[in-house]
């Protein structure tokens, strides 16, 4: 009997009622599973996510959530072969599966690492510096991010059932939000298994993750302003879902990643002899054939200088004609199948539309030579079109055939290429193969607004380039216009899509307590013990050392100049310094002030402070003249654990003169023993 995929609802695996929809093998057309969600109580799933999963995740700090992501990623890597096996049914080669499975786990690893390094061990993200508002500093503003109180509904496309889930799940869980995942039915068996592996890792708290294999039923009716819908798929489905009355009336956050007519450009500076030419041809070929072209980021339009069209066409045909297509189980196969024969029919139909205004110069729309059973497999020959009049063409800038399909077109000069590139009306990614900085600059200035990501490839970066079509967890993925207008990933930026930014206003004392961070003007705690004698765990936020003062003499300035070699006129030339509109006479070196400040606050003996490893946001605010004195206040601003034995302490340092005026401020970073 055909296996029925299961939903994971309210912490239990349940089959949908009824027979569900078939999930079909891309290779032999057999039904590998049935998927359905009929009978689920969608409103109750949302409630469970919010009240059980949300509460559990919010009781964890960012660092604890980051550690959880690492366990999930490890669990997936340990059992990756189970996923590769299922992935092959979807037509994916081992290399395609690697992007999905190991690339997906890699995304979780990266988010875990970023969460630990870049977020506090708390639950609030403080956004930027405080804004002084009142004259005396008793009323300030501070932006913060807090976790949304609802659930994230992830609706994913079929092409990357693992990566597509994890690129959203990592940021969502890190943000403290529970997720309900709805994979595309065509590849739901792979996603279902990945969810099982993650749940079996034991790292997820109850309610943090639920799965729907089938329709989302009436779930949209129960969404609120605290929920997020993150959708990946076609623009038509995005439009349909986005126009749901609850999405508009409740202002439900809706992130859309849709189809995109991505392009690549061969720079006008590149000749056939240049390395960029080969790099370009290789990349177009790769983008057309990896995952059989079923990548939202794949190259659909290829723009080359008009004089180069014939040579690019020839080079591409030479490569495409050699591609071995078929069942990925055969070792010689380089390009697998489309996900299903119905998807192939969709691709062929769109290819026929393209053929109405373009010449097909390589491949055949309805014929394919494949290793495997051509009568039942969803194999497709790669199709290269050519259109020599791209400004007269319309469909080629508008139709996404979601398979191994791209169109070659000429351009006349950089501005022509820019205009053509932007005719895609907003894309996920555009690449330019050029070695000329001026060309790169023109494309950035006039194209970046239309494309979520721009990749410049030349001989200098080729060896390390991750290529046109690979979204990275550290960089944003998404694009304007027809690409959906959404944005995902981008490191911690992606986490903030699942949090609310609010402006807090109030006294420094209250806002410091609320944010877990010392803000200027908040009470400074003092005590008998020098802060450098306190271990990480013993240091309270706001604990402050007020030092004695030290006078800076002219001899100090001259000694410092000679010792360091810094003889800048402002410190050493009385006449020139007097003529300066800023100094009006000789002043102490800024670095001398820093050094003397350290001399004032450092406690010299070995102790819990293991190292000073940085200094940020340094500002020299007022010059210090020889004969003036300085003193320092050193305050614990925030803390963040780094290893079981060590934690980072961020100190707010204020250097003032004899009149109590601020002369320098900065943040000092030390690593302290726990
Ligand atoms: P799709 O047909 O739009 O489906 C996308 C998802 O929406 C699937 O999970 C689908 O579920 C679900 N869905 C469809 N109708 C729905 C409805 N009425 N209510 C709730 N959910 C609904 O797209 P696809 O064919 O899976 O994916 C291919 C497209 O996705 C391509 O156009 C590609 O460019 C785009 N894509 C974009 C990105 C990106 O990051 N921008 C990434 C990958 C793919 P069912 O499968 O169960 O119908």
């Amino acid at each position: 009997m055909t296996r029925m995929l299961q939903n994971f609802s309210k912490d239990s695996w349940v089959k949908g009622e009824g027979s569900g929809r078939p999930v079909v093998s891309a290779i032999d057309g057999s039904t590998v599973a049935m998927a359905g969600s009929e009978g689920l109580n969608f409103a109750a799933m949302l409630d469970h996510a919010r009240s059980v999963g949300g509460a559990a995740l919010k009781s964890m700090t960012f660092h604890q959530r980051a550690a959880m992501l690492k366990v999930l990623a490890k669990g997936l890597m340990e059992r990756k072969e189970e996923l590769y096996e299922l992935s092959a049914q979807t037509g994916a080669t081992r290399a395609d599966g690697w992007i999905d499975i190991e690339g997906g786990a890699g995304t979780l690893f990266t988010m875990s690492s970023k969460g630990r390094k870049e977020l506090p061990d708390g639950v609030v993200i403080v956004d930027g510096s405080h804004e002084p508002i009142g004259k005396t500093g008793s009323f300030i503003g501070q932006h913060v991010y807090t976790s949304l109180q609802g659930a994230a509904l992830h609706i994913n496309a079929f092409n990357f059932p693992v990566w597509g889930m994890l690129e959203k799940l990592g940021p969502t869980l890190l943000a403290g939000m529970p997720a309900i995942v709805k994979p595309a039915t065509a590849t739901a068996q792979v996603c279902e298994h990945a969810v099982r592996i993650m749940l079996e890792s034991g790292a997820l708290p109850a309610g943090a993750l639920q799965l729907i294999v089938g329709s989302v039923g009436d779930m949209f009716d129960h969404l609120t302003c605290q929920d997020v819908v993150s959708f990946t798929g076609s623009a038509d489905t995005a439009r349909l879902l986005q126009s749901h009355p609850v999405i508009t009336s409740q202002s439900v956050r809706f992130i859309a990643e849709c189809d995109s007519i991505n392009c690549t450009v061969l720079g006008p500076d590149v000749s056939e002899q240049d390395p960029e030419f080969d790099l370009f041809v290789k990349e177009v070929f790769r983008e057309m054939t990896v995952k059989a072209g079923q990548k939202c980021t794949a190259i659909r339009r290829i723009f080359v200088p008009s004089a180069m069209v014939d040579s690019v066409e020839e080079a591409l045909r030479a490569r495409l004609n050699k591609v071995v297509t078929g069942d990925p189980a055969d070792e010689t196969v380089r390009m697998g199948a489309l996900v299903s024969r119905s998807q192939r029919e969709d691709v062929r139909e769109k290819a026929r539309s393209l053929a109405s205004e373009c010449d097909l110069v390589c491949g055949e729309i309805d014929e394919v030579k494949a290793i495997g059973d051509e009568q039942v497999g969803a194999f497709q020959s790669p199709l290269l079109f050519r259109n020599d009049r791209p400004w007269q063409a319309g469909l080629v800038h508008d139709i996404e055939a979601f398979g191994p399909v791209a169109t070659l077109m000429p351009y006349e000069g950089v501005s022509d290429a820019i205009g053509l590139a932007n005719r895609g009306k907003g894309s996920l990614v555009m690449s330019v193969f050029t070695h000329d900085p001026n060309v790169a600059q023109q494309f950035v200035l006039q194209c970046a607004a239309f494309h979520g990501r721009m990749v410049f490839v030349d001989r200098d970066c080729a060896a390390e380039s991750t290529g046109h079509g690979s979204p990275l967890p550290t960089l944003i993925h998404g694009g304007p216009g027809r690409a959906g207008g959404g944005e995902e990933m981008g490191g911690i930026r992606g986490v903030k899509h699942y949090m609310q930014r609010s402006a807090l206003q109030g006294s420094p004392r209250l806002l410091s307590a609320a944010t877990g961070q010392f803000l200027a003007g908040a009470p400074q705690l003092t005590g008998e013990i020098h802060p450098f004698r306190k271990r990480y765990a013993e240091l309270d936020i706001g604990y402050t050392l007020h030092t004695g003062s030290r006078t800076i003499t002219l001899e100090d300035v001259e000694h410092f100049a000679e010792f360091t070699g810094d003889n800048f006129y402002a410190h050493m030339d009385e006449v020139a310094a007097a003529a300066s509109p800023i100094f009006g006479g000789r002043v102490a070196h800024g670095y001398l002030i820093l050094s003397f400040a350290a001399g004032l606050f450092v406690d010299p003996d070995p102790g819990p402070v293991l190292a000073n490893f940085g200094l940020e946001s340094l500002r020299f605010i007022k010059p210090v003249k020889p004969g003036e004195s300085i003193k320092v206040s050193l305050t614990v601003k925030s803390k963040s654990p780094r290893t079981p034995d060590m934690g980072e302490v961020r100190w707010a340092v204020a250097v003032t003169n004899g009149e109590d005026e601020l002369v320098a401020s900065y943040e000092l970073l030390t690593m302290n023993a726990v």
Side-chain angles (χ1 to χ4, degrees), residues 358-395:
C358 306
D359 297 326
L360 181 60
V361 295
C362 186
E364 291 189 63
I365 296 178
D366 294 304
E367 296 290 322
V368 59
K369 268 180 82 175
I371 294 182
D373 189 342
E374 289 163 23
Q375 300 309 311
V376 286
F379 309 117
Q380 175 62 47
S381 131
L383 304 174
L384 180 65
F385 288 98
R386 173 167 167 169
N387 188 316
D388 286 335
R389 301 199 309 155
W391 283 105
Q392 277 71 47
L395 300 174

Side-chain angles (χ1 to χ4, degrees), residues 508-509 512-513 516-527 529 531 534 538-546 633-639 649-652:
R509 185 174 77 92
S512 282
Q517 204 174 87
F518 174 79
L519 298 172
Q524 294 173 318
L525 320 169
T526 49
I529 303 174
K534 288 189 176 228
E538 295 164 344
L539 281 169
D540 292 322
I541 303 294
Y543 191 73
T544 301
L545 170 75
H546 294 287
S633 76
L634 176 78
T635 305
V636 179
K637 179 172 173 137
S638 63
K639 305 197 303 178
V649 181
R650 183 176 287 265
W651 307 82

Side-chain angles (χ1 to χ4, degrees), residues 155-159 163-164 167-168 229-239 241-242 254-260 262 295-297 400 402 426-429 452-453 471 475-490 494 497-498:
I155 300 180
N156 298 329
F158 68 77
N159 54 345
W163 179 87
E167 56 126 355
K168 292 177 180 166
V229 177
S230 184
F231 170 82
T232 302
S234 64
D236 288 344
T237 313
R239 249 190 311 275
L241 297 179
Q242 210 160 4
F254 192 97
I255 304 167
E257 302 287 343
C258 302
D259 35 335
S260 162
N262 314 297
K295 274 192 341 185
C296 54
T297 48
E400 183 205 41
F402 204 56
S427 87
L428 295 171
V429 55
R453 186 163 57 87
L475 300 180
I476 58 164
H477 173 54
R482 66 169 297 147
E487 195 180 285
E488 292 176 331
M489 302 201 292
H497 296 144
Y498 298 92

